[in-house]
């Protein structure tokens, strides 16, 4: 055999070997049509029948914030959103009018009756003017605290700390007045069960405190002494109840005392009467990106419902028709 | 140097036209050399690198169900693993109970897991602990889907290295729709969800 022929054969053999080896590492195209026999069909669970929807008009405001966390409105219906280490201010029509930087992203926002912005961070509180000028900063909380919500009424600030599962009542200048929550008897409704870091508070029309006991799917009402006045909420995957862990993840109270709740898992926003009776669904899974969480809610003076959707980077504005 | 010598030198240095035969020869030799160098380099890098093991990247996993049926082992080496520190210890656990379950008890009709591999134990009111029986778990990911949809996502699929035979080419990785099965050095820990920082939720 000629020397050249042998060389050619060897080269061809090497190339063939390389092709075989390469082919071994090339993945076959998986069959997209393969049905998963273990698939969990949850889409149908979140479906809300047409008759259960409220009659609302809706619009959206695009916010272009990557990691939005909290939303609130001032007396003039300007919108404040925290995210990406800043607080951004939008006009009632959704035009960005101002923004200012914060050290970290505020985990909760609320506006006082005097249009002063209270921004709660992981374990400290900052007070700003409505234009974003820092007025006061105080931190009396444990370094492990994790504030998830803030409410304000009658010169008192209510801070929900998901780490300790307690609500702290402070004066506006940072003096601790009271702690609400039972750490001893876990069977009591005043013992807040928080499977995850969703722990919301709001003030009712009678100036009393409402707290979301998310592990028990209940909203609990407290008087100033920290005693339970009322509670409502049912565990159910039906449209009238709350399911999964940690729901309602957020809630707000309208001017007439009715409740607007937001849930994760089955992503939906619903309206309940002031006694906790389900009235209608404002938005269901079809209105939000799949897997949306952290739907913070604010109600403006026109009784419009503003729902922050961090994943979709937008604010949904719903207005109930009479 | 005379003019004649200069011209001769120029002629010798002038490029000769390359014949097709020479071009092919050179090309094939170069290809063979590159191939051999590549194989040698690849083999050397494999020999000198740390041992690699197959793992599932929980961020990419979509619980397609292929892990349960494509592992070369009779019972898949992919198992559900539970990050207890991340778990909410919920009574109504989306990974344990079928959706829209009526009674929150351990009745067989309430189990989401097709092999009942997830065990529920009462801790204290209202907390329940959930553990995976690896002998029963087939790695289907149904509980992972439920936990992710309704809970904190503390359940996730992972390849158990006590069971995995560490094939050169993982059979599951060839059918994984999201390329979630990756090789990582054996001395690294199990891949966890990137959001996990020791806190719940």
């Amino acid at each position: 055999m000629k020397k050249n022929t042998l060389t050619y054969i060897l080269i061809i053999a090497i190339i063939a070997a390389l092709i075989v080896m390469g082919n071994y590492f090339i993945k076959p195209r998986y069959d997209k049509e393969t049905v998963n026999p273990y698939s969990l069909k949850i889409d149908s669970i979140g479906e809300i029948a047409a008759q259960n929807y409220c009659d609302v008009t809706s619009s959206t405001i695009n916010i272009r914030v990557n990691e939005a966390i909290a939303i609130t409105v001032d007396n003039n219906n300007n919108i404040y959103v925290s995210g990406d280490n800043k607080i951004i201010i939008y006009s009632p029509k959704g035009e960005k009018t101002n923004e200012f930087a914060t050290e970290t992203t505020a985990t909760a926002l609320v506006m006082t009756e005097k249009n002063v912005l209270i921004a709660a961070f992981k374990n400290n509180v900052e007070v700003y003017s409505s234009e974003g000028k820092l007025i006061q900063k105080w931190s009396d909380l444990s370094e492990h605290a994790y504030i998830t919500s803030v409410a304000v009424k009658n010169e008192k600030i209510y801070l929900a700390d998901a780490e300790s599962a307690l609500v702290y009542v402070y004066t506006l200048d940072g003096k601790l007045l009271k702690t609400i929550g039972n750490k001893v008897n876990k069977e009591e409704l005043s013992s807040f069960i928080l499977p995850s870091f969703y722990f919301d508070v709001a003030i009712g029309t009678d100036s009393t405190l409402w707290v979301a006991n998310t592990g028990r799917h209940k909203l609990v009402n407290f008087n100033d002494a920290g005693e339970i006045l009322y509670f409502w909420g049912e565990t159910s995957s039906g449209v009238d109840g709350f399911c999964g862990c940690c729901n309602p993840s957020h809630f707000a109270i309208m001017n007439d005392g009715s409740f607007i709740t937001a849930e994760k898992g089955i992503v939906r926003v619903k309206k309940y009467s002031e006694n906790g009776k389900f009235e209608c669904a404002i938005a269901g899974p079809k209105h939000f990106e799949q897997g949306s969480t952290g739907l913070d809610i604010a109600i403006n003076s026109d009784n419009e419902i503003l729902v922050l959707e961090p994943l979709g980077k937008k604010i949904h504005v719903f207005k109930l028709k009479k | 140097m005379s003019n004649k010598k200069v011209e001769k030198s120029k002629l010798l240095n002038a490029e000769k036209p390359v014949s097709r035969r020479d071009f092919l020869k050179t090309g094939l030799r170069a290809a063979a050399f590159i191939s051999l160098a590549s194989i040698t380099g690849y083999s050397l890098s494999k020999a000198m690198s740390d041992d690699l093991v197959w793992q599932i990247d929980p961020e990419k996993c979509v619980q397609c169900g292929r892990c349960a049926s494509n592992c070369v082992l009779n019972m898949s080496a992919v198992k559900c693993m539970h990050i207890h520190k991340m778990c909410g210890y919920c009574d109504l656990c989306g990974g344990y109970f079928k959706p829209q379950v009526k009674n929150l008890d351990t009745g067989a009709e309430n189990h989401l897991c097709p092999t009942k591999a997830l065990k529920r134990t009462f801790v204290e009111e209202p907390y329940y602990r959930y553990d995976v029986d690896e002998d029963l778990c087939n790695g289907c990911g149904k509980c992972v889907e439920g936990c992710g949809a309704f809970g904190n996502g503390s359940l996730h699929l992972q390849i158990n290295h006590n069971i995995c035979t560490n094939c050169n080419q993982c059979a599951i990785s060839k059918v994984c729709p999201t390329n979630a099965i990756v090789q990582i050095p054996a001395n690294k820990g199990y891949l966890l969800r990137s959001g996990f920082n020791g806190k719940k939720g």
Side-chain angles (χ1 to χ4, degrees), chain A residues 96-305:
Chain A
K96 185 172 151 184
T97 55
N98 193 7
E99 70 171 40
F100 53 94
T102 49
E103 268 182 45
T104 55
T105 297
T107 53
L109 297 174
V110 72
M111 214 73 187
T112 68
E113 290 137 341
K114 293 176 182 170
N115 251 14
V116 171
L117 178 68
I118 312 285
F121 296 81
K122 183 179 169 290
N123 61 358
N124 69 293
V125 173
E126 293 178 7
V127 183
Y128 292 91
S129 70
S130 56
E131 291 80 32
K133 188 184 170 194
L134 183 64
I135 299 168
Q136 199 180 9
K137 184 176 179 178
W138 50 268
S139 175
D140 185 43
L141 296 152
S142 147
E143 63 172 313
H144 301 297
Y146 200 100
I147 304 301
T148 52
S149 181
V150 57
V152 64
K153 192 75 185 179
N154 300 337
E155 306 290 307
K156 287 178 190 167
I157 297 180
Y158 299 85
L159 297 173
D161 175 14
E163 179 66 41
S164 63
L166 293 170
V167 177
Y168 299 109
V169 187
Y170 279 89
T171 60
L172 279 176
D173 53 358
K175 187 184 169 196
L176 180 66
L177 298 175
K178 188 166 183 57
T179 302
I180 295 174
N182 186 339
K183 294 286 282 180
V184 181
N185 189 352
K186 290 195 168 60
E187 293 187 16
E188 294 289 326
L189 262 180
S190 55
S191 169
F192 303 119
I193 308 299
L194 307 175
S196 67
F197 277 31
Y198 291 98
F199 188 32
D200 206 358
V201 289
I203 302 296
T205 47
D206 59 354
S207 301
T208 55
L209 176 72
W210 284 86
V211 184
N213 196 340
T214 59
R216 294 187 181 278
H217 302 132
K218 298 253 185 303
L219 289 180
V220 189
N221 188 202
F222 293 90
N223 64 13
D224 278 352
E227 296 161 343
I228 294 176
L229 296 173
Y230 188 68
F231 65 89
W232 63 268
E234 290 295 325
T235 299
S236 162
S237 57
V239 71
D240 55 343
F242 303 116
C243 76
C245 82
C246 346
N247 278 319
S249 63
H250 296 84
F251 73 101
I253 299 170
M254 297 189 77
N255 300 344
D256 63 357
S258 57
F259 293 84
I260 305 297
T261 62
E263 292 166 63
K264 70 187 192 85
I266 299 175
V267 188
R268 52 193 181 186
V269 177
K270 299 183 295 191
K271 183 173 184 284
Y272 290 85
S273 74
E274 59 184 330
N275 298 321
K277 188 182 174 219
F278 171 75
E279 290 186 346
C280 54
I282 288 161
K286 65 181 180 185
H287 292 89
F288 304 101
E289 300 268 335
Q290 194 176 7
S292 273
T293 56
L295 305 180
D296 197 10
I297 305 172
I299 311 282
N300 68 19
S301 60
D302 294 335
N303 252 358
E304 285 179 325
I305 301 152

Side-chain angles (χ1 to χ4, degrees), chain A residues 35-91:
Chain A
V35 177
N36 177 8
Y38 306 106
S39 173
L40 179 62
K41 293 173 180 61
I42 53 174
D43 293 346
S44 60
I45 303 166
E47 280 177 8
I48 299 170
Q51 69 267 22
N52 283 327
Y53 273 106
C54 309
D55 195 7
V56 293
T57 56
S58 68
S59 59
T60 55
I61 298 168
N62 292 316
I63 54 170
R64 293 180 186 173
V65 178
N66 291 324
E67 291 183 12
I69 296 181
I71 185 171
T72 192
V73 288
D74 67 14
N75 297 345
N76 302 316
N77 289 348
N78 291 306
I79 306 161
Y80 296 71
V81 173
S82 69
D84 299 347
N85 295 343
K86 54 191 176 185
I87 292 171
I88 308 116
I89 307 168
Y90 300 87
S91 72

